[in-house]
Amino acid sequence: MPKTSDTADDRPEERRGGAGGSVQSVDRAVSVLEILAKLGEAGVTEISEELGVHKSTAFRILGVLENRGLVEQERDRGKYYLGAGVLRLAGAAAIRLDISQEGQPVCRALAEDTGETANIAVLDGDAAVNIMQARGSAAVTAYNWLGRRTPLHATASGKVLLAHLPPERRETLVTRKLPRFTENTVTTAAGLRAQLAAALADGFACTSEELEIGLNAVAAPVHAHDGAVIGAIGVSGPAYRMEHELLPELAERAAKAAAELSRLMGYPG
């Protein structure tokens, strides 16, 4: 592959912060990871030739990836190889894939048991994202929650995930501005802390029209083999059918489903 000129293609745009240069830099960084995955290890010269760029460009990309722990270097030979950071990212992706695969029958069974919409959610930064959904026979809406990011403080799954975060991280999210979605949304740190404490004590969380008027939900935590909470499985439905008084019973069903999925994920319980 012929080398491109650093002075004629991307470097001026990168210095200006242009979107095209940023995208090109990301593309090249990903290419470096793919090259190292294919070759096992490679030096700057070899990587620059594979990319078709000057050695200085390849060195800069490698420096950024090394700072992030995505590549490491054998100092005595100058060879680069994939770092532990890649394993960390791969592990997180594997957990999502595992919980999606193992969770399908459990999610469907919960939907059939309750007649409502069942969802599995995982933490995605400062929100919960739904990665699995099944509709029960009584579900009245065709609304698709799959892939939707939902606020942690206003959803049952979000509260479960938030409650099981490390204290420092949890407190950071609890004390930030909490947007109001309905008149029932808890928007104070003290109120949210009380709900999270209840979720930890009860083993499940409930919401009553906190995200949307007319929508109630329950959820329970899913554990990995080491006990860490990696997701939440829950049920949502119309408030006129999932009445407030029925939420604890539905939450117990969600907790049973969560225990089954946790077992499939290797959690001894």
Side-chain angles (χ1 to χ4, degrees):
M1 181 183 299
K3 293 183 180 179
T4 57
S5 170
D6 281 339
T7 58
D9 62 348
D10 60 284
R11 289 182 66 185
E13 188 171 13
E14 286 178 3
R15 290 195 187 107
R16 293 193 304 268
S22 299
V23 171
Q24 188 174 49
S25 296
V26 172
D27 181 71
R28 286 174 172 175
V30 173
S31 296
V32 169
L33 297 177
E34 291 176 339
I35 290 167
L36 293 178
K38 178 181 68 174
L39 300 179
E41 61 177 28
V44 175
T45 299
E46 192 172 6
I47 291 171
S48 68
E49 291 175 350
E50 288 279 341
L51 288 178
V53 300
H54 286 246
K55 289 176 62 176
S56 60
T57 300
F59 187 77
R60 287 198 305 273
I61 295 171
L62 286 163
V64 172
L65 293 174
E66 187 174 15
N67 288 338
R68 292 287 186 171
L70 298 175
V71 303
E72 297 177 12
Q73 183 183 22
E74 293 184 0
R75 299 299 177 183
D76 56 336
R77 297 196 301 139
K79 296 283 188 177
Y80 289 87
Y81 55 92
L82 294 178
V86 173
L87 296 177
R88 182 185 70 251
L89 297 177
I95 287 175
R96 285 202 182 190
L97 289 173
D98 287 345
I99 197 172
S100 295
Q101 293 170 356
E102 299 290 354
Q104 288 183 21
V106 179
C107 193
R108 286 196 297 266
L110 181 60
E112 292 172 3
D113 178 44
T114 61
E116 305 295 350
T117 300
N119 285 282
I120 297 175
V122 297
L123 188 67
D124 185 22
D126 60 354
V129 62
N130 293 283
I131 62 171
M132 179 66 54
Q133 176 174 290
R135 293 190 182 93
S137 58
V140 296
T141 178
Y143 191 88
N144 185 13
W145 293 91
L146 196 62
R148 179 178 173 183
R149 284 169 53 87
T150 55
L152 297 176
H153 71 289
T155 59
S157 294
K159 289 177 184 178
V160 166
L161 297 170
L162 184 55
H164 288 86
L165 283 176
E168 184 176 348
R169 172 62 173 157
R170 181 175 64 239
E171 189 64 13
T172 297
L173 295 174
V174 166
T175 54
R176 67 179 181 167
K177 181 176 175 59
L178 302 173
R180 180 178 294 281
F181 300 97
T182 74
E183 62 181 11
N184 295 326
T185 307
V186 175
T187 58
T188 66
L192 184 54
R193 287 193 195 98
Q195 289 192 339
L196 299 182
L200 291 173
D202 297 337
F204 58 81
C206 304
T207 54
S208 296
E209 301 184 89
E210 296 177 38
L211 180 63
E212 296 180 7
I213 293 296
L215 179 69
N216 288 353
V218 297
V222 177
H223 297 266
H225 64 91
D226 59 357
V229 171
I230 55 174
I233 184 168
V235 178
S236 62
Y240 69 82
R241 191 164 57 236
M242 285 184 60
E243 297 177 350
H244 184 76
E245 295 76 13
L246 298 178
L247 294 185
E249 177 189 343
L250 290 168
E252 289 183 7
R253 298 188 191 184
K256 289 181 180 179
E260 172 61 15
L261 182 50
S262 297
R263 184 189 66 78
L264 294 173
M265 297 299 293
Y267 180 57

